[in-house]
Amino acid sequence: MSKRLRIAAGFALATGLLVSGSPAQAQVESGPWTSYSPSFKVQERGCGDVSDLTFKLTCSTGSGDQRAERRYATYTGGTRQFEGSFRITSLGGTRISLKQTFKDDPGAGPYFMLAVERGGRLYAVHGGNTIATGATVGTTVRVNTVHVVGSAHRTYINGSQKHSVSSSGGNFYDKFGAYRTGSGQGPATVVWSGIKFWRK
């Protein structure tokens, strides 16, 4: 192959990679999706500690408000998709919430909570249903949630749909990090990466 052809082929390959890796292309479900970057606040309660995308619960207490999270801006209506990958680097405790979709209306609260037990079982806190297994220490797991406000909330693990629940209308927001559930305890360290948001 001539040098000119090699350069042209390399350019085409690079261009193809850039197109296929475009941040506007969501990982699950059909679009068109529009990427956006909602604002967030860091929440540290009890023995929770946040350093960029590393979230720690440093104590083993089984009571009180122990959390290390990012709380994103409230949204109303439409369809929203969250994507992020987590890797548990240590888990001395169990039943730690990793990702929440929270209803932001008076008297409301957590609407969907994805949590992990020691041993790697991912489950829905409300109802206790197993969502997936294999979220063991050191393993990277990708999470997508697709929320059609007023219709449904679907959860994907590593690209496969694993859970669905109906949704009312109203105001909601996304949270992720490490949060002690009512029956859980630390310590735990969770590192998140690849955080993306889309809407349509």
Side-chain angles (χ1 to χ4, degrees):
M1 182 184 291
S2 71
K3 181 177 180 181
R4 179 176 295 175
L5 285 175
R6 285 197 301 271
I7 292 172
F11 178 78
L13 177 61
T15 302
L17 289 173
L18 287 172
V19 170
S20 64
S22 169
Q25 297 299 311
Q27 294 297 313
V28 298
E29 300 200 3
S30 60
W33 294 97
T34 300
S35 62
Y36 74 111
S37 299
S39 61
F40 66 87
K41 295 180 180 178
V42 171
Q43 295 185 334
E44 295 176 324
R45 306 274 181 84
C47 65
D49 178 75
V50 179
S51 176
D52 192 24
L53 287 171
T54 299
F55 303 83
K56 296 181 180 180
L57 300 180
T58 60
C59 61
S60 60
T61 181
S63 62
D65 190 3
Q66 315 299 332
R67 70 175 67 187
E69 296 179 302
R70 278 189 181 185
R71 187 265 203 222
Y72 281 80
T74 299
Y75 59 85
T76 303
T79 299
R80 310 284 175 143
Q81 181 171 173
F82 162 88
E83 179 179 288
S85 296
F86 69 83
R87 180 170 53 90
I88 301 167
T89 59
S90 66
L91 184 59
T94 189
R95 300 182 73 83
I96 302 298
S97 177
L98 303 168
K99 165 68 174 67
Q100 300 181 42
T101 303
F102 206 100
K103 189 164 187 183
D104 191 20
D105 289 331
Y111 155 69
F112 170 78
M113 298 174 70
L114 174 70
V116 64
E117 288 181 334
R118 187 186 297 132
R121 183 178 83 102
L122 293 172
Y123 67 99
V125 172
H126 302 97
N129 294 337
T130 297
I131 291 178
T133 57
T136 52
V137 172
T139 301
T140 299
V141 178
R142 192 176 89 237
V143 178
N144 292 71
T145 56
V146 176
H147 189 192
V148 185
V149 178
S151 179
H153 181 284
R154 294 181 286 273
T155 302
Y156 292 75
I157 302 298
N158 293 331
S160 298
Q161 184 179 334
K162 298 296 186 180
H163 183 265
S164 182
V165 64
S166 62
S167 172
S168 64
N171 304 301
F172 295 86
Y173 58 83
D174 291 297
K175 298 174 76 174
F176 66 84
Y179 169 78
R180 187 191 73 82
T181 66
S183 58
Q185 66 183 76
T189 301
V190 183
V191 179
W192 281 84
S193 61
I195 307 304
K196 300 175 184 176
F197 294 86
W198 297 275
R199 61 189 170 199
K200 65 176 179 178

